[in-house]
Amino acid sequence: MMATRGPLQLTLALFKPDITRVPHVVQAIRNRIIQEDFFVVRHKEVRLSRQDTEQFYEEHRGKFFYNRLVTFMSSGPSQALILAHEDAIKHWRALMGPTKVYKTKYEAPDTIRGMYGLTDTRNSTHGSDAEETAAREMKFFFPEFCQEDWYRVEEDRFRKGQVRLDEVKFMHNLF
Ligand code: CDP
Ligand code: MG
């Protein structure tokens, strides 16, 4: 029985290609997400083209790691998720751990990147860093998802716990 919860915030999470190809790691991260009381509002597997990735990571164009980042992100399937939590953006980023895996392995070993990250590029997951980026990134992966409608119709019922986890689709559904 879940306690009554405050207003929910939404964020966009991504399982990058390095972990998506390892089913037991995907399962372990899914378990962490549920343990941390996130709701999974949307979830789907995606295959990003080079062009998609360039658009998604536009802010990093020109940086020294841009090419290897784009190559990696378009190298295989990813999983995109819309997560809900009282403090979804910060909470998910805290669970992920800092960007740079080599450092994170020492400084935050029990985070997702600390546990499963391979390199500074192949660092397991992505998470939006602010409300505006979350809105843009949710639109990028789920163009049919309307935040306003979700808040108007569904947020209250998620908050009251009127949801059930579909373990196969890894998504919460209202009941
Ligand atoms: O993902 P996050 O917001 O923590 O980091 P970022 O600074 O926005 O960088 C985006 C992504 O670029 C990272 O998650 C890494 O995959 C990659 N990156 C890299 O390959 N080498 C770096 N020195 C920094 C970031
Ligand atoms: Mg970032």
Side-chain angles (χ1 to χ4, degrees):
M1 182 70 196
M2 209 177 282
T4 313
R5 304 178 62 156
L8 297 172
Q9 184 184 54
L10 298 173
T11 193
L12 188 283
L14 202 57
F15 295 179
K16 296 185 179 186
D18 55 332
I19 58 163
T20 299
R21 62 171 69 95
V22 190
H24 77 272
V25 173
V26 168
Q27 191 55 53
I29 296 174
R30 287 181 176 186
N31 295 346
R32 284 294 280 280
I33 287 173
I34 299 306
Q35 272 165 23
E36 295 288 328
D37 287 338
F38 283 97
F39 293 116
V40 185
V41 171
R42 290 288 184 281
H43 174 221
K44 72 176 171 197
E45 183 153 312
V46 289
R47 175 72 207 243
L48 296 175
S49 68
R50 204 174 166 89
Q51 204 181 353
D52 295 332
T53 310
E54 286 177 358
Q55 195 188 335
F56 185 71
Y57 279 119
E58 179 64 35
E59 62 171 308
H60 294 304
R61 192 182 290 275
K63 293 189 183 158
F64 74 92
F65 58 81
Y66 183 69
N67 188 54
R68 71 181 191 203
L69 172 62
V70 167
T71 302
F72 162 57
M73 290 300 292
S74 54
S75 70
S78 295
Q79 291 181 31
L81 307 97
I82 296 179
L83 300 179
H85 200 283
E86 286 92 332
D87 194 16
I89 294 172
K90 273 204 202 142
H91 201 91
W92 173 242
R93 286 195 64 100
L95 188 61
M96 289 200 315
T99 310
K100 299 223 180 161
V101 162
Y102 283 128
K103 232 175 133 202
T104 299
K105 290 216 177 268
Y106 293 98
E107 292 177 2
D110 57 354
T111 59
I112 291 170
R113 284 167 165 175
M115 288 175 77
Y116 307 112
L118 299 171
T119 65
D120 289 350
T121 302
R122 292 178 291 160
N123 62 359
S124 312
T125 51
H126 166 85
S128 310
D129 58 12
E131 280 195 9
E132 311 79 72
T133 29
R136 181 172 63 76
E137 293 176 355
M138 286 189 273
K139 263 269 164 304
F140 183 89
F141 283 104
F142 301 93
E144 69 291 348
F145 179 76
C146 176
Q147 251 198 97
E148 283 101 75
D149 286 353
W150 188 81
Y151 274 104
R152 190 164 43 77
V153 181
E154 298 190 20
E155 191 261 354
D156 183 59
R157 295 177 59 198
F158 269 80
R159 215 198 304 177
K160 288 178 180 147
Q162 297 168 2
V163 291
R164 190 175 292 123
L165 179 66
D166 178 331
E167 307 244 2
V168 176
K169 291 187 179 144
F170 192 57
M171 201 173 113
H172 283 98
N173 293 314
L174 290 169
F175 61 77

